[in-house]
Amino acid sequence: MKTITTTEALADYCARAATFPYVTVDTEFLRERTYYSKLCLVQLAVPGDDDKEDAVLVDPLVEGLSLEPLYALFRDEGVVKVFHAARQDLEIFWVDAGVFPSPLFDTQVAAMVAGFGDQVGYETLVRKVCKASLDKSSRFTDWSRRPLTDAQKKYAIGDVTYLREIYEFLKAELDKSGREKWVKEELSVLTDPATYDISPREAWRRVKTRTNSGRFLAVVRELAAFREEFAQSRNIPRSRVYKDDALMELASTKPKDIAELGRSRLLLREARKGEIADGILAAVAAGLECPSSDLPEVESDGREKLQVNPALADLLRVLLKARCEEAGVAQKLVASAAELDLLAAGKKDVPAVKGWRAEVFGKDALRLCKGELALGVKGSSVRVIVI
């Protein structure tokens, strides 16, 4: 298999790829030691025969190689870019170049729409669609080390060669069922910059807390914001600055000086001095001095205050299962347990009753809530009865 190591060779391949209706794409990366993913390998394949080098590896770690020819291909609206579980791949390209592949096709999303279950894995699709198996021995290797072994190359190229057959199969299924627009609705989230742009000021929302105290949350917010900014600027993992348990301890003890900071049980040694220590003390002080009008509040979906009708919630679950089995769609993709509870409490503004989900489940769910539908059983099947 061919490995591309120059910008010129990449440009030649991408120019050829632009003559095909689609190109399959995958990446190998590392994130254990950095804040941003380190791109280590890009795999590409066009329809054709592997023996003719229609599938290639691109080595972005080679000095002087530019990925701009690839990004130009990503912007080419005449070529569908096919990924499996694209979110992390898209984040890499968005952070690196501010580009999203368009048009995009994600085989994991398509498989969920086509009835393969919740978040179906690539290996499962290879087995079911291609009737083949993958060698998983290189899955957790260090992709930043060079030279790559033959086993690594074989594993990596398999992520785009089988993807061609999977894409063609799923596209045919979607064309047959008319559900391609369902996939496009789901992919709009993946190509929204807000999905990947992390605001340090909002980083506190990812920290699990057990209190709704505005003052406590203000300290958590400042500590999380400092950690995010520091990790981003040094390109190191958040946990290398301090972990969530240490952050929560600091928000509880609220150290005012280095001596008090030194009494922390959970803080890393490196964080007890220098820039991190100064940042922690400044963050705690800022949280304590935060005006009452700017104190954060935990966003709630209101479920704890809802009067959920448990019998109706159970009926909605039965309806969801029945409708999804009938339509051949993953239940998880249509509605969450939280949404069912909201519906059972009289709320109607939930994703499960909008867009393509309304066709599968939402319209019937609302009618069930209004008492316009009933559920019955015939044999092993659930029947929907119009009242």
Side-chain angles (χ1 to χ4, degrees):
M1 66 198 73
K2 180 179 180 180
T3 300
I4 290 176
T5 57
T6 67
T7 305
E8 181 181 12
L10 179 59
D12 288 343
Y13 182 84
C14 290
R16 179 166 175 256
T19 66
F20 289 91
Y22 71 86
V23 57
T24 56
V25 189
D26 191 42
T27 69
E28 305 298 341
F29 56 87
L30 293 179
R31 199 168 189 170
E32 290 80 7
R33 298 187 292 271
T34 57
Y35 181 90
Y36 300 105
S37 295
K38 179 179 181 180
L39 183 61
C40 299
L41 195 68
V42 180
Q43 303 99 281
L44 303 168
V46 294
D49 186 342
D50 297 345
D51 293 337
K52 297 179 181 177
E53 296 181 340
D54 289 317
V56 298
L57 305 177
V58 181
D59 190 348
L61 300 185
V62 173
E63 187 175 351
L65 185 144
S66 169
L67 291 178
E68 186 50 41
L70 177 62
Y71 296 145
L73 180 63
F74 281 176
R75 299 184 188 100
D76 188 337
E77 293 289 334
V79 183
V80 177
K81 272 63 70 171
V82 181
F83 291 76
H84 180 83
R87 192 189 187 287
Q88 289 184 298
D89 302 314
L90 298 189
E91 182 180 14
I92 292 172
F93 299 130
W94 175 250
V95 170
D96 184 57
V99 62
F100 288 122
S102 179
L104 171 70
F105 190 98
D106 189 319
T107 55
Q108 185 178 70
V109 175
M112 292 172 75
V113 168
F116 280 84
D118 295 339
Q119 294 182 320
V120 60
Y122 182 66
E123 183 183 355
T124 299
L125 288 177
V126 169
R127 186 175 66 253
K128 291 186 174 181
V129 177
C130 306
K131 312 301 180 187
S133 60
L134 291 174
D135 178 4
K136 300 181 290 184
S137 60
S138 296
R139 177 175 295 178
F140 300 111
T141 57
D142 184 347
W143 292 98
S144 67
R145 297 187 64 178
R146 294 296 184 269
L148 295 173
T149 66
D150 289 341
Q152 284 179 304
K153 292 179 180 180
K154 181 180 178 182
Y155 170 87
I157 210 70
D159 283 345
V160 286
T161 51
Y162 291 118
L163 193 54
R164 297 176 296 195
E165 186 176 348
I166 293 169
Y167 166 66
E168 291 177 3
F169 173 84
L170 290 174
K171 186 177 185 306
E173 290 293 302
L174 295 176
D175 289 343
K176 211 181 331 181
S177 64
R179 295 179 180 179
E180 190 170 356
K181 64 178 182 179
W182 297 10
V183 175
K184 287 182 179 178
E185 276 188 45
E186 296 305 297
L187 295 184
S188 64
V189 176
L190 289 179
T191 53
D192 181 354
T195 302
Y196 310 97
D197 290 345
I198 300 173
S199 168
R201 192 70 174 168
E202 297 298 312
W204 68 278
R205 299 187 187 279
R206 293 195 307 270
V207 181
K208 294 182 180 179
T209 62
R210 296 183 179 179
T211 176
N212 292 334
S213 164
R215 185 62 56 190
F216 180 87
L217 291 176
V219 178
V220 171
R221 180 175 65 186
E222 298 299 330
L223 286 167
F226 166 70
R227 179 177 67 173
E228 205 73 20
E229 291 170 349
F230 192 90
Q232 287 178 356
S233 65
R234 270 64 171 189
N235 195 23
I236 58 174
R238 297 180 192 93
S239 59
R240 285 269 302 278
V241 186
Y242 41 83
K243 297 181 180 180
D244 280 2
D245 57 356
L247 188 154
M248 294 299 292
E249 180 193 41
L250 293 168
S252 298
T253 58
K254 303 175 181 62
K256 297 180 177 62
D257 53 41
I258 292 294
E260 291 185 9
L261 186 65
R263 299 190 189 106
S264 169
R265 295 182 302 109
L266 301 174
L267 202 60
L268 297 171
R269 182 180 301 175
E270 295 79 6
R272 299 168 187 261
K273 58 186 177 180
E275 289 182 274
I276 298 180
D278 292 342
I280 289 172
L281 296 176
V284 170
L288 294 174
E289 296 166 6
C290 175
S292 298
S293 60
D294 190 35
L295 292 177
E297 295 180 2
V298 175
E299 290 184 355
S300 172
D301 57 18
R303 272 187 293 162
E304 67 279 1
K305 298 179 182 179
L306 292 175
Q307 296 298 315
V308 176
N309 182 330
L312 179 56
D314 288 341
L315 287 174
L316 286 167
R317 286 170 173 78
V318 174
L319 177 65
L320 176 66
K321 185 174 187 296
R323 284 303 192 220
C324 287
E325 286 181 353
E326 181 183 317
V329 184
Q331 292 183 51
K332 185 175 181 179
L333 193 63
V334 176
S336 66
E339 289 177 68
L340 298 181
D341 285 345
L342 289 169
L343 286 169
K347 302 294 182 181
K348 299 179 177 63
D349 187 25
V350 298
V353 301
K354 299 176 182 177
W356 67 268
R357 291 172 173 81
E359 300 175 34
V360 176
F361 169 73
K363 291 178 181 178
D364 282 346
L366 292 176
R367 294 173 70 188
L368 181 66
C369 292
K370 292 177 183 177
E372 297 172 356
L373 288 182
L375 299 178
V377 176
K378 184 176 182 180
S380 60
S381 301
V382 174
R383 299 176 61 192
V384 176
I385 305 166
V386 179
I387 298 176

